[in-house]
Structures are given as C-alpha cells and as structure tokens.
Amino acid sequence: MPFNIALFASGSGSNVENIVRYFSDKPDFHFPVIISNKSDAFVHQRAKTLHIPSFTFTKDDFFDGHKILTLLKEYQVDFIVLAGFLLKIPPTIISAFPDKIINIHPALLPKFGGKGMYGHHVHHAVIEAGETQSGITIHYVNEHYDEGNIIFQAVCEVLPEDTPDTLANKVHALEYEYFPLIIEKIATTRK
Ligand code: GRF
C-alpha cells in the first residue's frame, strides 16, 4: 500500500508541484488529493496538469472540518502537508491526524509567525526588522498558528538591497530544495 499524502494549498501551488514531481519516481508515496480554500487558486491548474483531483472548501467547511475529514477518508489519506495553505486547521482534523500534519513557514519561527504572517507580509516584516537572516521552518501543526514543534529550518542571508520579492525568491529556493526531502524523511518513518 502506498503512503497517501494530501496536499493543502491556497495559492500558486509551486511547492505542491515541486513536491509531486520530486516523488514521481517513488511509487511508495502517493498524492491522491489536493485541497484548497480558493476555487480560483492556480494550484487547481497545476493539479489538472499533475492529474490529481483537487477540491475547494469554504472557510466554514474548514472551520467545521467534517466534510474535509470525509473526503480525506475517501482518499485513504495517511498524512497531510500544508504547502502555502492560509487557513487554520480545525481541531476535528488535528485530532484525526495527530502528529500527521506538517506546514512550511517562509521565515525562521518563532519569529515572524502567527496570524497575518503569510506571503509577502512575512518578508516585508523581516526586512523592516533589519534581520540579516531569514529562511524556512517546517513544523508540526497544532491548534495555534505556527506554534507546533519545529522539525527543520534552513537559513538564507538577508542583504541590505533585498526587497520582499527578492527575499521571497531566496526562501522559495530553500523550500523547493528541502521540503520534499523532509516530507520523505518523515513519511518514511511513518509508513
Ligand atoms: C510559500 O512561501 C510558503 O512557505 C508560504 O506560502 C508560499 C506558497 O507558495 N506559506 P506556493 O503557493 O507554493 O508557490
């Protein structure tokens, strides 16, 4: 039986695509479903290209969690990866997947995390604060934004000439390099 990983994404989904492509020659890992909270997110186009069914749920559905749980059961999901997903995961889903949900945050937690800290807001805040380093944090998901146990961090330099855009590019490069490797490492121990 392959290990079934559901991917959750709210936007472009470049991490989703990078993860699926990384695992494409590893038959032990399967990505049966992509879940979003935005029907117009570009991740749905990527899902079509990748031949993975994708679904959109409303904010209320995410708040409640039951409809999503039903879908996850239908697709026999073992593990959940949040790859650029912006809504909070409800207790219903967290308790059904204990220590089986991970997220990537585009900065070095515990700094620059919490509500409102996503996408360019994070990179803007890092630059405004005069930080000389930023990076990525991969962590378990609990009921509080960005507070679950940290699994892995990687660092990049923040230069005086960096803008939120150039910093986002550096952080994305780290995400593409490390997120699939960390997912593989964790998933291998859970199979
Ligand atoms: C990534 O930087 C991720 O860390 C953050 O949102 C961004 C998503 O990018 N939470 P993409 O949708 O994977 O292109």
Side-chain angles (χ1 to χ4, degrees):
M1 272 282 277
F3 191 72
N4 285 329
I5 303 174
L7 296 164
F8 284 33
S10 301
S12 158
S14 67
N15 276 285
V16 162
E17 181 162 354
N18 179 57
I19 292 164
V20 173
R21 295 209 184 281
Y22 173 85
F23 283 94
S24 60
D25 60 351
K26 299 176 195 290
D28 285 354
F29 302 92
H30 187 221
F31 297 88
V33 65
I34 293 171
I35 291 178
S36 183
N37 60 316
K38 293 242 191 309
S39 59
D40 59 351
F42 190 67
V43 70
H44 295 292
Q45 303 303 317
R46 295 189 198 261
K48 276 199 192 106
T49 314
L50 295 166
H51 305 292
I52 299 175
S54 69
F55 298 88
T56 302
F57 288 94
T58 64
K59 207 172 176 180
D60 285 347
D61 291 336
F62 275 101
F63 194 71
D64 174 71
H66 286 97
K67 277 190 195 167
I68 297 158
L69 265 191
T70 305
L71 188 78
L72 293 172
K73 280 198 188 121
E74 211 174 286
Y75 282 93
Q76 300 183 307
V77 167
D78 300 302
F79 198 83
I80 299 172
V81 170
L82 312 183
F85 186 70
L86 297 183
L87 293 184
K88 202 165 170 181
I89 302 298
T92 348
I93 297 183
I94 291 176
S95 53
F97 288 86
D99 281 338
K100 290 177 183 164
I101 311 176
I102 63 169
N103 180 44
I104 191 157
H105 185 76
L108 298 172
L109 291 175
K111 282 183 170 181
F112 307 106
K115 205 168 161 50
M117 276 292 165
Y118 61 89
H120 275 221
H121 299 290
V122 179
H123 306 309
H124 192 260
V126 168
I127 289 170
E128 281 291 294
E131 298 285 326
T132 55
Q133 290 189 324
S134 190
I136 58 168
T137 304
I138 298 169
H139 63 94
Y140 286 106
V141 172
N142 65 18
E143 286 164 32
H144 306 283
Y145 272 116
D146 301 329
E147 286 181 19
N149 285 342
I150 292 175
I151 302 162
F152 175 84
Q153 291 187 306
V155 172
C156 63
E157 261 187 295
V158 182
L159 300 173
E161 61 268 30
D162 269 322
T163 64
D165 276 342
T166 60
L167 182 54
N169 288 339
K170 291 182 192 178
V171 168
H172 259 126
L174 291 176
E175 293 179 336
Y176 300 152
E177 182 176 357
Y178 291 109
F179 205 13
L181 296 176
I182 299 299
I183 294 168
E184 185 175 21
K185 202 170 159 192
I186 297 171
T188 304
T189 64
R190 300 301 183 83
K191 273 171 66 63

